[in-house]
Amino acid sequence: MAEPRDASITIIGGGAIGCAVAYFLARDGHSDVQVLERTELCAETSSQAAGLVGQVRLSPDRTRLAMRSVAFFSGLERETGISPDWRQTGSLRISLSPERTQEHEQMARVAHDNGLEVRFLGSHELSDVAPSLEFGKIHSALWCPSDGYLQPNSLVNAYVAGAKASGVTFATNAAVTAISAPKGKVVSVTTKNGTVSTSLVINAAGPWAGAVANLVGIRLPVVPVRHEYFISAGAPGWHRDVPVLRVPDLGIYARAEGEAVLCGGWEANALSLDPDSLRTQSILRVDPDLEVLAGFHQSLASVLVGLDDIGVQSIFRGYPAFSPDGRFIVGPVRGVEGFVMAAACNAHGVSGSAGLAEHVLESMQPDPTPYVRSLSPDRFLDSPFDGDQSRQRAQRIYETYYALGASAQGGLR
Ligand SMILES: Cc1cc2nc3c(=O)[nH]c(=O)nc-3n(C[C@H](O)[C@H](O)[C@H](O)COP(=O)(O)OP(=O)(O)OC[C@H]3O[C@@H](n4cnc5c(N)ncnc54)[C@H](O)[C@@H]3O)c2cc1C
């Protein structure tokens, strides 16, 4: 790994977002770019992600973003020589109620309007695709054949290889502790190894992005909210090509991990951190919440046969960053020239990393699209926000991730 150095562009954070931005900058012809990472590359939130990549949403913008990500993942190995372990297994959105089916019908319309293939499966097709479903409980099942999952570490390795090939450098154990912006213009960043000059900082510090923004005197509502899933011991009938399952009525998702089941979900009473309490050096430890995980397991076993007695092999967890309106915080910050945000992924920063990185690049162009402009951090500067209220709202976005209508504004990976 390289040391921190003088560079035109400095990206703070070597998770999926920082590495994706580095890759896209390099592809766009910027070679004087460095990534400064506090610990190791892909060692924090990104390393914990389930890697689900879902394209079916109510929001046309998010649908198109996800479709671009899928097209991109399919070609990434060709470009970098490294596979992101992208498996296009297809996905099923299972509805247990007429209201949910109505929502899925609306999603199917958005998909069709945007050229994404989806269809409702009849019972024969459904039993071919997912034989262990408890068919009696299912109201409908929406199939998206081009969805799937990838391995976050492999994805980040591919970004890093592609970026390095174009001259981007990566320094690890290089926590940024200060950013100097005299007269409202970024000129340097400081790590324990000293100060290096840079004229553009991109803040991709994940749940710490609010603390990094504080280094230039900006307060933004980047709220870490706990998320977790378990991987079972081997489960009969499961193999890596089983389609990804989402059961929004139960707040859960599942996919195969080898011959085991990976299952996570969205808690009705989530746990978040006060964004104002975080410092750049804060360590975010998450203890597994076995009660919550047992609830996910119980819900999954209620719609799939043969999962009652599976053991647990491992638990993954972290604090993905949410915003109070469930939207990314992307783009230059008014009043601090050379400071750009790439944060608040609302728990789909792995699947959305490619599209989000493209948005970051676009946000720095003279005339970004209205959608990219709408992600600007300035929306939180225009009307100063109440910390507690922002935290509650961000937490609510998490708690209602799969609620009816939630994907119109939020994630739904
Ligand atoms: C259990 C779980 C399951 C998930 N499942 C999915 C999924 O299926 N699909 C999906 O798309 N997303 C998923 N997510 C969300 C996804 O992990 C995040 O959206 C994504 O990892 C965010 O990436 P990031 O690069 O912004 O953050 P991170 O990966 O946290 O990277 C930020 C980096 O910044 C570094 N940093 C912070 N401060 C500084 C500093 N001062 N100087 C230098 N470096 C600094 C940190 O060390 C860290 O490495 C999941 C998350 C969890 C916890």
Side-chain angles (χ1 to χ4, degrees), residues 142-166:
L142 183 61
W143 168 243
C144 178
S146 55
D147 271 359
Y149 62 90
L150 48 68
Q151 298 296 344
N153 289 296
S154 308
L155 175 65
V156 171
N157 286 343
Y159 285 140
V160 171
K164 274 188 178 170
S166 300

Side-chain angles (χ1 to χ4, degrees), residues 36-184:
L36 301 183
E37 165 52 48
R38 192 175 81 141
T39 59
E40 298 296 328
L41 298 178
C42 196
E44 301 294 340
T45 328
S46 301
S47 68
Q48 300 299 302
L52 305 191
V53 179
Q55 304 163 91
V56 185
R57 292 143 203 271
L58 286 174
S59 149
D61 285 317
R62 288 288 181 95
T63 304
R64 286 194 293 271
L65 174 80
M67 287 170 72
R68 278 215 305 280
S69 291
V70 163
F72 170 77
F73 295 144
S74 304
L76 189 57
E77 182 171 2
R78 242 187 349 265
E79 284 190 40
T80 64
I82 302 218
S83 161
D85 291 322
W86 164 230
R87 298 203 75 76
Q88 214 153 11
T89 55
S91 79
L92 282 171
R93 296 185 69 85
I94 303 294
S95 159
L96 305 181
S97 64
E99 296 76 21
R100 184 66 67 178
T101 297
Q102 264 176 17
E103 181 185 65
H104 287 177
E105 283 166 356
Q106 210 182 330
M107 286 174 160
R109 280 193 289 277
V110 173
H112 291 146
D113 289 349
N114 288 281
L116 175 66
E117 184 192 341
V118 294
R119 67 197 160 84
F120 286 92
L121 295 188
S123 48
H124 287 303
E125 279 181 301
L126 188 55
S127 60
D128 281 348
V129 172
S132 58
L133 278 171
E134 291 267 17
F135 297 101
K137 295 190 176 162
I138 289 164
H139 193 265
S140 68
L142 183 61
W143 168 243
C144 178
S146 55
D147 271 359
Y149 62 90
L150 48 68
Q151 298 296 344
N153 289 296
S154 308
L155 175 65
V156 171
N157 286 343
Y159 285 140
V160 171
K164 274 188 178 170
S166 300
V168 176
T169 58
F170 290 80
T172 52
N173 292 309
V176 172
T177 52
I179 301 171
S180 173
K183 300 186 192 148

Side-chain angles (χ1 to χ4, degrees), residues 36 50 59 61 98 145 149 171 221 250 290 327 343 362 369 372 400:
L36 301 183
S59 149
D61 285 317
Y149 62 90
L250 301 177
L290 298 180
R327 316 184 75 229
E362 189 186 328
T369 56
V372 169
T400 57

Side-chain angles (χ1 to χ4, degrees), residues 151-339:
Q151 298 296 344
N153 289 296
S154 308
L155 175 65
V156 171
N157 286 343
Y159 285 140
V160 171
K164 274 188 178 170
S166 300
V168 176
T169 58
F170 290 80
T172 52
N173 292 309
V176 172
T177 52
I179 301 171
S180 173
K183 300 186 192 148
K185 189 173 182 329
V186 169
V187 294
S188 65
V189 298
T190 300
T191 68
K192 67 177 185 310
N193 294 339
T195 296
V196 292
S197 65
T198 193
S199 52
L200 180 62
V201 161
I202 298 178
N203 177 0
W208 296 270
V212 168
N214 286 340
L215 297 178
V216 290
I218 298 291
R219 185 167 165 258
L220 288 170
V222 179
V223 183
V225 187
R226 183 185 71 176
H227 187 47
E228 54 186 338
Y229 63 81
F230 67 87
I231 297 179
S232 73
W238 283 74
H239 55 81
R240 57 192 198 156
D241 292 322
V242 169
V244 173
L245 289 180
R246 293 177 181 82
V247 194
D249 294 305
L250 301 177
I252 53 164
Y253 58 80
R255 70 161 171 87
E257 174 66 17
E259 293 182 350
V261 186
L262 177 162
C263 173
W266 309 96
E267 297 165 54
N269 298 300
L271 193 69
S272 64
L273 302 178
D274 173 2
D276 290 329
S277 71
L278 282 192
R279 301 288 169 264
T280 54
Q281 66 276 17
S282 300
I283 292 175
L284 295 182
R285 295 224 181 283
V286 197
D287 292 326
D289 189 327
L290 298 180
E291 213 173 300
V292 167
L293 292 165
F296 296 160
H297 173 225
Q298 222 171 14
S299 294
L300 189 67
S302 73
V303 286
L304 287 174
V305 290
L307 290 187
D308 287 329
D309 295 323
I310 46 169
V312 170
Q313 185 193 124
S314 47
I315 293 167
F316 286 69
R317 69 270 190 195
Y319 274 107
F322 281 70
S323 63
D325 57 8
R327 316 184 75 229
F328 303 134
I329 303 182
V330 162
V333 175
R334 190 181 63 214
V336 188
E337 196 182 325
F339 190 77

Side-chain angles (χ1 to χ4, degrees), residues 336-407:
V336 188
E337 196 182 325
F339 190 77
V340 174
M341 292 295 296
C345 302
N346 295 287
H348 69 144
V350 168
S351 57
S353 55
L356 194 135
E358 287 183 312
H359 289 346
V360 173
L361 265 66
E362 189 186 328
S363 75
M364 297 188 283
Q365 297 302 316
D367 196 16
T369 56
Y371 174 65
V372 169
R373 267 206 304 272
S374 76
L375 306 175
S376 166
D378 295 351
R379 69 189 189 274
F380 297 111
L381 306 183
D382 288 336
S383 45
F385 55 89
D386 174 299
D388 276 347
Q389 205 178 53
S390 298
R391 181 177 167 191
Q392 277 166 26
R393 284 193 182 150
Q395 190 176 311
R396 193 78 196 124
I397 299 283
Y398 177 97
E399 290 165 346
T400 57
Y401 211 75
Y402 277 174
L404 284 166
S407 81

